[in-house]
Amino acid sequence: MFELKGKKGLVVGIANQHSIAFACTQLLSSMGASVIASYANEKASNFVTPLQAILPDVTFTQCDVCCDKQLINLIELTQAKFGQIDFVIHSVAFAPLEDLRGGLLNSSREGLKLAMDVSCWSFVRLGRMAEPLLNPSSSLITMSYLGSERAVQNYNLMGPIKAALESSVRYMALELGEQGHRVNAVSPGPIKTRAASGLKDFDTLLERSTKKAPLKRDLSTRDVAGAVLYLVSDLSLAITGNTLYVDNGYHVVD
């Protein structure tokens, strides 16, 4: 049902083997897709390079999404290797720790600009640069969070940024829809990843989510990857401009 043989694409934002981007890469590859996966910098390289042994068919490369030259290099590598592609998975978020933990009112202009550039604008930029390579009915996917629409304690400046990201998804869906391309966001519940470790009292957030969610189960990166698999597959050809919650149903409770 989810055969992806012949599909090719990008996964941007692997930090380590526990990251959502890695789970997506691993699952898509196992279903037959050809994948180029990127990591941000040399520091991340220390954690990502060993993953080549786990996924020998995946091409790993460095790409700082804030650097236009590196984005150009990523697109050129993709074109040289694949020609055309069928999907782009954007799993990138960052804010300076002092701005993330200091509350929205105390966030700095520089910190907010950087967080917006990395976490939101990079998806728009990547979509624009990848557009010439997209096969008909391609799928572009990014990662959001419930803090985009609710004031979640300690999520702070990332809430407005994720709201901007989800709005960008809708406008990108409108603009790319004429070519048949789909653009969606996946909104996972709290999962222990490197990005989540920056949130103050994250364990409390995780415990509350697990306790109150209708499905009383732990959430994993594999769960998120499953939703991404669906959105990449041809079973989701009529779905675009949406935010798909993967949170055991937590978003429906107060």
Side-chain angles (χ1 to χ4, degrees), residues 6-254:
K7 289 191 180 291
K8 298 162 287 187
L10 289 171
V11 177
V12 178
I14 291 184
N16 53 42
Q17 65 179 337
H18 305 296
S19 65
I20 290 173
F22 176 69
C24 293
T25 301
Q26 191 172 35
L27 184 57
L28 294 177
S29 179
S30 72
M31 292 295 173
S34 299
V35 182
I36 293 175
S38 75
Y39 54 91
N41 48 43
E42 289 299 324
K43 183 178 180 181
S45 170
N46 296 327
F47 300 97
V48 176
T49 301
L51 302 179
Q52 186 73 74
I54 301 175
L55 298 174
D57 295 329
V58 173
T59 299
F60 291 92
T61 188
Q62 181 179 330
C63 180
D64 179 349
V65 295
C66 288
C67 177
D68 285 342
K69 187 176 187 303
Q70 291 191 30
L71 276 173
I72 291 171
N73 290 341
L74 177 63
I75 296 300
E76 288 180 345
L77 170 65
T78 302
Q79 186 173 27
K81 188 171 182 64
F82 293 153
Q84 300 294 113
I85 59 175
D86 304 282
F87 60 87
V88 176
I89 314 301
H90 172 272
S91 183
V92 183
F94 174 79
L97 195 59
E98 59 272 23
D99 292 288
L100 180 61
R101 293 191 171 183
L104 177 61
L105 293 176
N106 293 321
S107 61
S108 68
R109 176 180 295 174
E110 294 74 18
L112 184 60
K113 287 170 63 177
L114 179 58
M116 181 67 77
D117 191 26
V118 176
S119 310
C120 176
W121 179 242
S122 65
F123 181 53
V124 179
R125 186 162 50 218
L126 188 61
R128 182 179 72 245
M129 296 176 73
E131 183 179 3
L133 306 185
L134 297 178
N135 280 320
S137 301
S138 288
S139 180
L140 284 72
I141 304 165
T142 189
M143 299 295 157
S144 189
Y145 177 61
L146 184 61
S148 64
E149 63 174 78
R150 295 188 189 180
V152 175
Q153 192 74 33
N154 297 319
Y155 201 57
N156 302 334
L157 87 164
M158 287 304 298
I161 289 170
K162 291 294 189 181
L165 178 64
E166 291 186 11
S167 181
S168 298
V169 163
R170 292 187 286 272
Y171 280 94
M172 290 171 67
L174 178 63
E175 294 179 17
L176 292 173
E178 292 184 1
Q179 291 78 46
H181 306 315
R182 297 160 284 147
V183 187
N184 293 285
V186 172
S187 183
I191 302 174
K192 285 189 176 181
T193 63
R194 182 180 176 186
S197 66
L199 294 176
K200 182 181 178 182
D201 296 329
F202 174 76
D203 287 342
T204 301
L205 180 65
L206 180 64
E207 182 181 359
R208 182 168 65 247
S209 176
T210 302
K211 182 178 179 180
K212 295 187 68 175
L215 297 177
K216 307 299 182 183
R217 59 185 292 276
D218 291 332
L219 191 67
S220 72
T221 56
R222 179 83 176 188
D223 294 320
V224 184
V228 168
L229 171 62
Y230 168 66
L231 291 174
V232 167
S233 79
D234 290 343
L235 294 180
S236 61
L237 290 179
I239 297 177
T240 193
N242 288 322
T243 297
L244 175 60
Y245 291 96
V246 184
D247 62 357
N248 290 326
Y250 180 75
H251 68 284
V252 305
V253 300
D254 57 19

